Amino acid sequence: MKARIKIMLKSGVLDPQGAAIKQALNNIGFESVTGVRQGKVIELEVDGPNKSEVRSEIESMCNKMLANTVIENFEIEVF
Amino acid sequence: MKARIKIMLKSGVLDPQGAAIKQALNNIGFESVTGVRQGKVIELEVDGPNKSEVRSEIESMCNKMLANTVIENFEIEVF
């Protein structure tokens, strides 16, 4: 089963990488860009009996290893 | 206007970061994970008159700076 996890910094957390991208875009002429946040996306291939079990396993992966839940939020999609 | 860009390595391109995540997940007991690819997600706030102009501006940002189109694919969503 295919799944996708999107991991973003929580909204109050400073995102220097996003700020750098915004600055660089503004510098090369894209002045309409007023905000940028960068995150990670992880696409997984997981063996499992059904969507809900796969989802709960991925939730456990995120909490144990993939995301730093102190500063990051994650969203899971299972296809 | 809010937009999201997903940037992933093309399918033939080796993804050592994804392979490391897969190995680490397998090592801590998630043996059902058979494949991992890691990519980037960039969320933008862009001023623009309508969705299609914003989309084409973001396409230009990706081609000029955000993505390495030799080895990466990008997908754009405008909300």
Side-chain angles (χ1 to χ4, degrees):
Chain A
M1 223 167 271
K2 277 201 181 299
R4 181 181 299 145
I5 309 165
K6 195 186 77 162
I7 301 169
M8 299 293 292
L9 286 169
K10 287 182 180 173
S11 58
V13 180
L14 205 69
D15 178 5
Q17 211 170 355
I21 293 172
K22 177 186 172 292
Q23 194 55 57
L25 286 170
N26 291 161
N27 288 347
I28 64 168
F30 295 107
E31 277 144 36
S32 57
V33 179
T34 57
V36 177
R37 304 282 289 173
Q38 174 164 3
K40 284 178 280 192
V41 56
I42 298 174
E43 291 187 349
L44 301 161
E45 186 67 54
V46 187
D47 289 336
N50 58 56
K51 280 193 183 188
S52 70
E53 280 206 27
V54 166
R55 176 180 291 272
S56 75
E57 199 168 5
I58 293 175
E59 222 168 283
S60 156
M61 291 176 207
C62 286
N63 286 314
K64 282 194 188 154
M65 199 188 86
L66 298 175
N68 177 351
T69 52
V70 178
I71 56 167
E72 291 172 329
N73 285 324
F74 59 86
E75 275 171 38
I76 299 167
E77 285 173 283
V78 183
F79 306 103
Chain B
M1 222 166 271
K2 277 202 181 293
R4 181 181 300 146
I5 311 165
K6 194 187 79 162
I7 302 171
M8 299 292 293
L9 286 169
K10 288 183 179 174
S11 58
V13 179
L14 204 68
D15 178 3
Q17 212 170 354
I21 293 170
K22 177 186 172 291
Q23 194 57 56
L25 286 171
N26 290 161
N27 288 347
I28 64 167
F30 295 106
E31 276 144 35
S32 56
V33 179
T34 57
V36 178
R37 306 281 289 171
Q38 172 164 5
K40 282 179 282 195
V41 57
I42 299 174
E43 290 187 347
L44 302 161
E45 187 66 51
V46 188
D47 288 336
N50 58 57
K51 280 192 184 190
S52 71
E53 280 204 26
V54 167
R55 176 181 290 274
S56 76
E57 199 171 3
I58 293 174
E59 219 167 286
S60 156
M61 292 175 205
C62 286
N63 286 314
K64 282 193 186 154
M65 201 190 84
L66 298 176
N68 177 352
T69 53
V70 177
I71 55 167
E72 290 172 329
N73 285 322
F74 59 86
E75 276 170 38
I76 299 167
E77 284 172 282
V78 184
F79 306 103

Short mmCIF file of all heavy atoms in Angstrom, two decimals, chain A residues 11-68:
data_model
loop_
_atom_site.label_atom_id
_atom_site.label_comp_id
_atom_site.label_asym_id
_atom_site.label_seq_id
_atom_site.Cartn_x
_atom_site.Cartn_y
_atom_site.Cartn_z
N SER A 11 3.29 26.13 13.39
CA SER A 11 3.21 27.50 12.89
C SER A 11 4.00 28.53 13.70
O SER A 11 4.51 29.49 13.16
CB SER A 11 1.76 27.93 12.74
OG SER A 11 1.13 27.83 13.98
N GLY A 12 4.16 28.31 15.00
CA GLY A 12 4.91 29.29 15.78
C GLY A 12 6.43 29.13 15.66
O GLY A 12 7.17 29.99 16.12
N VAL A 13 6.88 28.03 15.06
CA VAL A 13 8.32 27.70 15.07
C VAL A 13 9.02 28.40 13.91
O VAL A 13 8.57 28.34 12.77
CB VAL A 13 8.51 26.17 14.97
CG1 VAL A 13 9.99 25.83 14.98
CG2 VAL A 13 7.78 25.48 16.10
N LEU A 14 10.15 29.06 14.24
CA LEU A 14 10.94 29.75 13.23
C LEU A 14 11.42 28.78 12.16
O LEU A 14 11.88 27.69 12.46
CB LEU A 14 12.15 30.37 13.93
CG LEU A 14 12.78 31.59 13.26
CD1 LEU A 14 11.85 32.78 13.35
CD2 LEU A 14 14.11 31.92 13.93
N ASP A 15 11.32 29.19 10.89
CA ASP A 15 11.71 28.32 9.77
C ASP A 15 12.76 29.05 8.93
O ASP A 15 12.46 29.69 7.92
CB ASP A 15 10.46 28.00 8.95
CG ASP A 15 10.77 27.15 7.73
OD1 ASP A 15 11.93 26.74 7.56
OD2 ASP A 15 9.85 26.90 6.94
N PRO A 16 14.04 28.97 9.34
CA PRO A 16 15.09 29.73 8.63
C PRO A 16 15.25 29.30 7.17
O PRO A 16 15.55 30.13 6.31
CB PRO A 16 16.36 29.42 9.44
CG PRO A 16 16.04 28.27 10.30
CD PRO A 16 14.57 28.21 10.48
N GLN A 17 15.02 28.00 6.90
CA GLN A 17 15.15 27.51 5.53
C GLN A 17 14.08 28.15 4.64
O GLN A 17 14.35 28.60 3.53
CB GLN A 17 14.97 26.00 5.55
CG GLN A 17 15.75 25.29 4.48
CD GLN A 17 15.76 23.78 4.68
OE1 GLN A 17 15.24 23.25 5.68
NE2 GLN A 17 16.32 23.07 3.73
N GLY A 18 12.86 28.21 5.17
CA GLY A 18 11.78 28.86 4.43
C GLY A 18 12.07 30.34 4.21
O GLY A 18 11.85 30.88 3.12
N ALA A 19 12.59 31.00 5.25
CA ALA A 19 12.92 32.43 5.13
C ALA A 19 14.00 32.65 4.08
O ALA A 19 13.94 33.63 3.31
CB ALA A 19 13.38 32.95 6.50
N ALA A 20 14.98 31.73 4.01
CA ALA A 20 16.05 31.84 3.01
C ALA A 20 15.49 31.68 1.60
O ALA A 20 15.89 32.41 0.67
CB ALA A 20 17.13 30.80 3.29
N ILE A 21 14.57 30.76 1.43
CA ILE A 21 13.96 30.54 0.11
C ILE A 21 13.16 31.78 -0.30
O ILE A 21 13.26 32.25 -1.44
CB ILE A 21 13.03 29.31 0.13
CG1 ILE A 21 13.85 28.03 0.33
CG2 ILE A 21 12.22 29.21 -1.16
CD1 ILE A 21 13.00 26.79 0.56
N LYS A 22 12.39 32.33 0.64
CA LYS A 22 11.62 33.54 0.34
C LYS A 22 12.56 34.66 -0.11
O LYS A 22 12.32 35.33 -1.12
CB LYS A 22 10.83 33.98 1.58
CG LYS A 22 10.06 35.27 1.36
CD LYS A 22 9.40 35.78 2.62
CE LYS A 22 8.82 37.18 2.41
NZ LYS A 22 9.86 38.21 2.22
N GLN A 23 13.65 34.88 0.65
CA GLN A 23 14.59 35.93 0.33
C GLN A 23 15.18 35.73 -1.07
O GLN A 23 15.25 36.66 -1.88
CB GLN A 23 15.69 35.93 1.40
CG GLN A 23 16.56 37.17 1.40
CD GLN A 23 15.73 38.45 1.55
OE1 GLN A 23 14.99 38.59 2.50
NE2 GLN A 23 15.83 39.35 0.59
N ALA A 24 15.57 34.49 -1.35
CA ALA A 24 16.19 34.19 -2.65
C ALA A 24 15.19 34.41 -3.79
O ALA A 24 15.54 34.96 -4.84
CB ALA A 24 16.69 32.75 -2.65
N LEU A 25 13.95 34.01 -3.59
CA LEU A 25 12.92 34.22 -4.63
C LEU A 25 12.70 35.71 -4.86
O LEU A 25 12.62 36.17 -6.01
CB LEU A 25 11.61 33.53 -4.25
CG LEU A 25 11.58 32.01 -4.37
CD1 LEU A 25 10.32 31.43 -3.73
CD2 LEU A 25 11.67 31.55 -5.82
N ASN A 26 12.60 36.47 -3.77
CA ASN A 26 12.43 37.92 -3.90
C ASN A 26 13.61 38.53 -4.66
O ASN A 26 13.44 39.37 -5.53
CB ASN A 26 12.30 38.58 -2.52
CG ASN A 26 11.00 38.24 -1.80
OD1 ASN A 26 10.89 38.40 -0.60
ND2 ASN A 26 9.99 37.77 -2.53
N ASN A 27 14.82 38.05 -4.33
CA ASN A 27 16.03 38.60 -4.96
C ASN A 27 16.10 38.36 -6.46
O ASN A 27 16.67 39.16 -7.18
CB ASN A 27 17.29 38.00 -4.31
CG ASN A 27 17.51 38.53 -2.92
OD1 ASN A 27 16.90 39.52 -2.51
ND2 ASN A 27 18.38 37.88 -2.16
N ILE A 28 15.57 37.22 -6.93
CA ILE A 28 15.64 36.97 -8.38
C ILE A 28 14.38 37.48 -9.09
O ILE A 28 14.14 37.15 -10.24
CB ILE A 28 15.93 35.49 -8.73
CG1 ILE A 28 14.80 34.55 -8.27
CG2 ILE A 28 17.26 35.05 -8.16
CD1 ILE A 28 14.90 33.14 -8.86
N GLY A 29 13.57 38.27 -8.40
CA GLY A 29 12.49 38.96 -9.10
C GLY A 29 11.07 38.52 -8.78
O GLY A 29 10.11 39.11 -9.26
N PHE A 30 10.95 37.46 -7.96
CA PHE A 30 9.60 37.02 -7.60
C PHE A 30 9.15 37.76 -6.34
O PHE A 30 9.15 37.21 -5.23
CB PHE A 30 9.57 35.50 -7.39
CG PHE A 30 9.86 34.72 -8.64
CD1 PHE A 30 11.07 34.07 -8.82
CD2 PHE A 30 8.93 34.65 -9.66
CE1 PHE A 30 11.34 33.36 -9.97
CE2 PHE A 30 9.19 33.94 -10.82
CZ PHE A 30 10.40 33.30 -10.98
N GLU A 31 8.76 39.02 -6.53
CA GLU A 31 8.45 39.84 -5.37
C GLU A 31 7.04 39.60 -4.83
O GLU A 31 6.69 40.09 -3.76
CB GLU A 31 8.66 41.32 -5.71
CG GLU A 31 10.12 41.70 -5.57
CD GLU A 31 10.59 42.71 -6.59
OE1 GLU A 31 9.79 43.59 -6.94
OE2 GLU A 31 11.75 42.60 -7.04
N SER A 32 6.25 38.85 -5.57
CA SER A 32 4.90 38.55 -5.11
C SER A 32 4.88 37.50 -4.01
O SER A 32 3.84 37.27 -3.39
CB SER A 32 4.06 38.06 -6.29
OG SER A 32 4.68 36.94 -6.88
N VAL A 33 6.03 36.86 -3.75
CA VAL A 33 6.08 35.82 -2.70
C VAL A 33 6.22 36.49 -1.34
O VAL A 33 7.20 37.18 -1.09
CB VAL A 33 7.26 34.86 -2.94
CG1 VAL A 33 7.32 33.82 -1.83
CG2 VAL A 33 7.14 34.19 -4.29
N THR A 34 5.21 36.30 -0.48
CA THR A 34 5.23 36.99 0.81
C THR A 34 5.52 36.06 1.98
O THR A 34 5.76 36.53 3.09
CB THR A 34 3.90 37.71 1.05
OG1 THR A 34 2.85 36.74 0.99
CG2 THR A 34 3.65 38.78 0.01
N GLY A 35 5.48 34.76 1.75
CA GLY A 35 5.78 33.83 2.84
C GLY A 35 6.14 32.46 2.30
O GLY A 35 5.56 32.01 1.32
N VAL A 36 7.10 31.81 2.96
CA VAL A 36 7.50 30.46 2.55
C VAL A 36 7.76 29.61 3.79
O VAL A 36 8.40 30.08 4.74
CB VAL A 36 8.80 30.48 1.68
CG1 VAL A 36 9.23 29.06 1.32
CG2 VAL A 36 8.63 31.31 0.43
N ARG A 37 7.23 28.40 3.79
CA ARG A 37 7.56 27.41 4.84
C ARG A 37 8.04 26.16 4.12
O ARG A 37 7.41 25.72 3.16
CB ARG A 37 6.33 27.02 5.66
CG ARG A 37 5.58 28.15 6.31
CD ARG A 37 6.19 28.70 7.54
NE ARG A 37 6.10 27.81 8.68
CZ ARG A 37 6.71 28.07 9.85
NH1 ARG A 37 7.43 29.16 10.01
NH2 ARG A 37 6.61 27.22 10.85
N GLN A 38 9.15 25.60 4.57
CA GLN A 38 9.59 24.36 3.94
C GLN A 38 9.39 23.18 4.87
O GLN A 38 9.60 23.27 6.08
CB GLN A 38 11.07 24.44 3.53
CG GLN A 38 11.51 23.06 3.02
CD GLN A 38 12.77 22.99 2.25
OE1 GLN A 38 13.47 23.96 2.05
NE2 GLN A 38 13.06 21.79 1.78
N GLY A 39 9.00 22.05 4.29
CA GLY A 39 8.83 20.82 5.06
C GLY A 39 9.34 19.63 4.28
O GLY A 39 9.98 19.77 3.24
N LYS A 40 9.06 18.45 4.83
CA LYS A 40 9.50 17.21 4.20
C LYS A 40 8.29 16.41 3.75
O LYS A 40 7.23 16.48 4.35
CB LYS A 40 10.22 16.33 5.23
CG LYS A 40 11.61 16.77 5.54
CD LYS A 40 12.23 15.89 6.61
CE LYS A 40 11.75 16.27 7.98
NZ LYS A 40 12.51 15.64 9.06
N VAL A 41 8.47 15.63 2.69
CA VAL A 41 7.45 14.66 2.32
C VAL A 41 8.12 13.30 2.20
O VAL A 41 9.23 13.19 1.66
CB VAL A 41 6.68 15.11 1.06
CG1 VAL A 41 7.60 15.34 -0.10
CG2 VAL A 41 5.61 14.12 0.67
N ILE A 42 7.50 12.30 2.78
CA ILE A 42 8.05 10.94 2.74
C ILE A 42 7.01 10.03 2.12
O ILE A 42 5.88 9.97 2.60
CB ILE A 42 8.41 10.45 4.17
CG1 ILE A 42 9.47 11.37 4.79
CG2 ILE A 42 8.93 9.02 4.14
CD1 ILE A 42 9.78 11.06 6.25
N GLU A 43 7.37 9.38 1.02
CA GLU A 43 6.46 8.43 0.39
C GLU A 43 6.89 7.02 0.74
O GLU A 43 8.06 6.67 0.56
CB GLU A 43 6.42 8.65 -1.13
CG GLU A 43 5.73 9.97 -1.45
CD GLU A 43 5.49 10.20 -2.94
OE1 GLU A 43 6.05 9.44 -3.76
OE2 GLU A 43 4.75 11.14 -3.28
N LEU A 44 5.94 6.25 1.25
CA LEU A 44 6.25 4.91 1.75
C LEU A 44 5.50 3.85 0.98
O LEU A 44 4.36 4.08 0.54
CB LEU A 44 5.79 4.78 3.21
CG LEU A 44 6.35 5.71 4.27
CD1 LEU A 44 5.43 5.70 5.48
CD2 LEU A 44 7.73 5.29 4.66
N GLU A 45 6.11 2.69 0.87
CA GLU A 45 5.43 1.50 0.40
C GLU A 45 5.36 0.56 1.61
O GLU A 45 6.41 0.17 2.14
CB GLU A 45 6.23 0.90 -0.76
CG GLU A 45 5.60 -0.26 -1.48
CD GLU A 45 4.35 0.14 -2.25
OE1 GLU A 45 4.42 1.08 -3.06
OE2 GLU A 45 3.31 -0.51 -2.02
N VAL A 46 4.14 0.28 2.08
CA VAL A 46 3.98 -0.50 3.32
C VAL A 46 3.07 -1.70 3.06
O VAL A 46 2.01 -1.56 2.45
CB VAL A 46 3.33 0.36 4.44
CG1 VAL A 46 3.32 -0.39 5.76
CG2 VAL A 46 4.05 1.68 4.61
N ASP A 47 3.50 -2.88 3.51
CA ASP A 47 2.64 -4.06 3.45
C ASP A 47 1.66 -4.01 4.61
O ASP A 47 2.08 -3.77 5.75
CB ASP A 47 3.48 -5.35 3.59
CG ASP A 47 4.31 -5.61 2.35
OD1 ASP A 47 3.93 -5.12 1.28
OD2 ASP A 47 5.34 -6.30 2.47
N GLY A 48 0.38 -4.25 4.34
CA GLY A 48 -0.58 -4.24 5.44
C GLY A 48 -1.93 -4.69 4.95
O GLY A 48 -2.22 -4.60 3.76
N PRO A 49 -2.77 -5.18 5.88
CA PRO A 49 -4.06 -5.75 5.49
C PRO A 49 -5.08 -4.71 5.02
O PRO A 49 -5.88 -4.99 4.14
CB PRO A 49 -4.52 -6.45 6.76
CG PRO A 49 -3.82 -5.74 7.87
CD PRO A 49 -2.54 -5.23 7.32
N ASN A 50 -5.07 -3.53 5.62
CA ASN A 50 -6.05 -2.53 5.22
C ASN A 50 -5.56 -1.12 5.56
O ASN A 50 -4.60 -0.95 6.30
CB ASN A 50 -7.42 -2.80 5.87
CG ASN A 50 -7.32 -2.83 7.38
OD1 ASN A 50 -6.86 -1.86 7.99
ND2 ASN A 50 -7.71 -3.93 7.99
N LYS A 51 -6.26 -0.13 5.00
CA LYS A 51 -5.83 1.26 5.14
C LYS A 51 -5.71 1.70 6.59
O LYS A 51 -4.77 2.39 6.97
CB LYS A 51 -6.83 2.19 4.44
CG LYS A 51 -6.65 2.24 2.95
CD LYS A 51 -7.43 3.41 2.36
CE LYS A 51 -7.30 3.42 0.85
NZ LYS A 51 -7.89 4.64 0.25
N SER A 52 -6.68 1.31 7.43
CA SER A 52 -6.68 1.87 8.78
C SER A 52 -5.51 1.30 9.60
O SER A 52 -4.91 2.02 10.40
CB SER A 52 -8.02 1.66 9.47
OG SER A 52 -8.18 0.30 9.76
N GLU A 53 -5.17 0.02 9.37
CA GLU A 53 -4.01 -0.53 10.10
C GLU A 53 -2.71 0.09 9.63
O GLU A 53 -1.82 0.38 10.42
CB GLU A 53 -3.95 -2.06 9.93
CG GLU A 53 -4.91 -2.75 10.87
CD GLU A 53 -4.47 -4.17 11.21
OE1 GLU A 53 -3.25 -4.46 11.18
OE2 GLU A 53 -5.35 -4.98 11.49
N VAL A 54 -2.61 0.29 8.31
CA VAL A 54 -1.41 0.92 7.75
C VAL A 54 -1.28 2.33 8.30
O VAL A 54 -0.20 2.76 8.73
CB VAL A 54 -1.44 0.91 6.21
CG1 VAL A 54 -0.39 1.84 5.63
CG2 VAL A 54 -1.23 -0.50 5.69
N ARG A 55 -2.41 3.06 8.34
CA ARG A 55 -2.37 4.43 8.87
C ARG A 55 -1.89 4.46 10.32
O ARG A 55 -1.06 5.28 10.70
CB ARG A 55 -3.75 5.07 8.76
CG ARG A 55 -3.85 6.46 9.38
CD ARG A 55 -5.25 7.02 9.23
NE ARG A 55 -5.52 7.32 7.84
CZ ARG A 55 -5.23 8.47 7.24
NH1 ARG A 55 -4.64 9.44 7.93
NH2 ARG A 55 -5.51 8.67 5.98
N SER A 56 -2.40 3.54 11.13
CA SER A 56 -2.02 3.61 12.55
C SER A 56 -0.56 3.18 12.72
O SER A 56 0.14 3.69 13.60
CB SER A 56 -2.96 2.80 13.42
OG SER A 56 -2.70 1.43 13.27
N GLU A 57 -0.07 2.28 11.85
CA GLU A 57 1.35 1.93 11.92
C GLU A 57 2.22 3.14 11.53
O GLU A 57 3.24 3.40 12.17
CB GLU A 57 1.65 0.75 10.99
CG GLU A 57 2.96 0.10 11.39
CD GLU A 57 3.21 -1.24 10.73
OE1 GLU A 57 2.41 -1.63 9.86
OE2 GLU A 57 4.23 -1.86 11.07
N ILE A 58 1.79 3.87 10.51
CA ILE A 58 2.57 5.04 10.07
C ILE A 58 2.54 6.13 11.15
O ILE A 58 3.53 6.82 11.38
CB ILE A 58 2.04 5.56 8.73
CG1 ILE A 58 2.32 4.53 7.63
CG2 ILE A 58 2.69 6.89 8.37
CD1 ILE A 58 1.73 4.87 6.29
N GLU A 59 1.40 6.25 11.83
CA GLU A 59 1.31 7.22 12.92
C GLU A 59 2.34 6.90 14.00
O GLU A 59 3.03 7.79 14.51
CB GLU A 59 -0.09 7.18 13.53
CG GLU A 59 -0.65 8.54 13.83
CD GLU A 59 -2.14 8.46 14.14
OE1 GLU A 59 -2.92 8.33 13.17
OE2 GLU A 59 -2.49 8.49 15.33
N SER A 60 2.47 5.62 14.27
CA SER A 60 3.45 5.18 15.25
C SER A 60 4.88 5.46 14.75
O SER A 60 5.75 5.89 15.53
CB SER A 60 3.18 3.71 15.55
OG SER A 60 4.30 3.06 16.02
N MET A 61 5.15 5.25 13.45
CA MET A 61 6.48 5.58 12.89
C MET A 61 6.80 7.05 13.06
O MET A 61 7.92 7.43 13.39
CB MET A 61 6.51 5.29 11.37
CG MET A 61 6.46 3.84 10.99
SD MET A 61 6.40 3.70 9.18
CE MET A 61 5.55 2.14 9.01
N CYS A 62 5.79 7.89 12.81
CA CYS A 62 6.00 9.34 12.93
C CYS A 62 6.33 9.72 14.35
O CYS A 62 7.26 10.48 14.61
CB CYS A 62 4.76 10.10 12.46
SG CYS A 62 4.56 10.08 10.69
N ASN A 63 5.54 9.18 15.31
CA ASN A 63 5.77 9.53 16.70
C ASN A 63 7.10 9.00 17.22
O ASN A 63 7.77 9.66 18.03
CB ASN A 63 4.62 9.01 17.57
CG ASN A 63 3.36 9.84 17.37
OD1 ASN A 63 3.42 11.07 17.37
ND2 ASN A 63 2.22 9.18 17.18
N LYS A 64 7.52 7.81 16.75
CA LYS A 64 8.75 7.21 17.26
C LYS A 64 9.99 7.75 16.57
O LYS A 64 11.05 7.84 17.16
CB LYS A 64 8.71 5.69 17.06
CG LYS A 64 7.87 4.99 18.09
CD LYS A 64 8.13 3.49 18.07
CE LYS A 64 7.14 2.77 18.97
NZ LYS A 64 6.93 1.39 18.56
N MET A 65 9.91 8.06 15.27
CA MET A 65 11.14 8.38 14.56
C MET A 65 11.05 9.51 13.55
O MET A 65 11.91 10.38 13.50
CB MET A 65 11.65 7.13 13.83
CG MET A 65 13.13 7.25 13.46
SD MET A 65 13.69 5.91 12.41
CE MET A 65 13.24 6.56 10.80
N LEU A 66 10.01 9.53 12.73
CA LEU A 66 10.07 10.39 11.54
C LEU A 66 9.86 11.87 11.85
O LEU A 66 10.46 12.73 11.20
CB LEU A 66 9.06 9.92 10.50
CG LEU A 66 9.28 8.51 9.96
CD1 LEU A 66 8.14 8.11 9.02
CD2 LEU A 66 10.60 8.40 9.23
N ALA A 67 9.01 12.17 12.81
CA ALA A 67 8.73 13.57 13.10
C ALA A 67 9.19 13.92 14.52
O ALA A 67 9.19 13.06 15.40
CB ALA A 67 7.23 13.84 12.97
N ASN A 68 9.60 15.14 14.70
CA ASN A 68 9.88 15.67 16.03
C ASN A 68 8.61 16.40 16.48
O ASN A 68 8.41 17.55 16.12
CB ASN A 68 11.07 16.62 15.97
CG ASN A 68 11.36 17.24 17.32
OD1 ASN A 68 10.59 17.10 18.26
ND2 ASN A 68 12.48 17.93 17.40
#
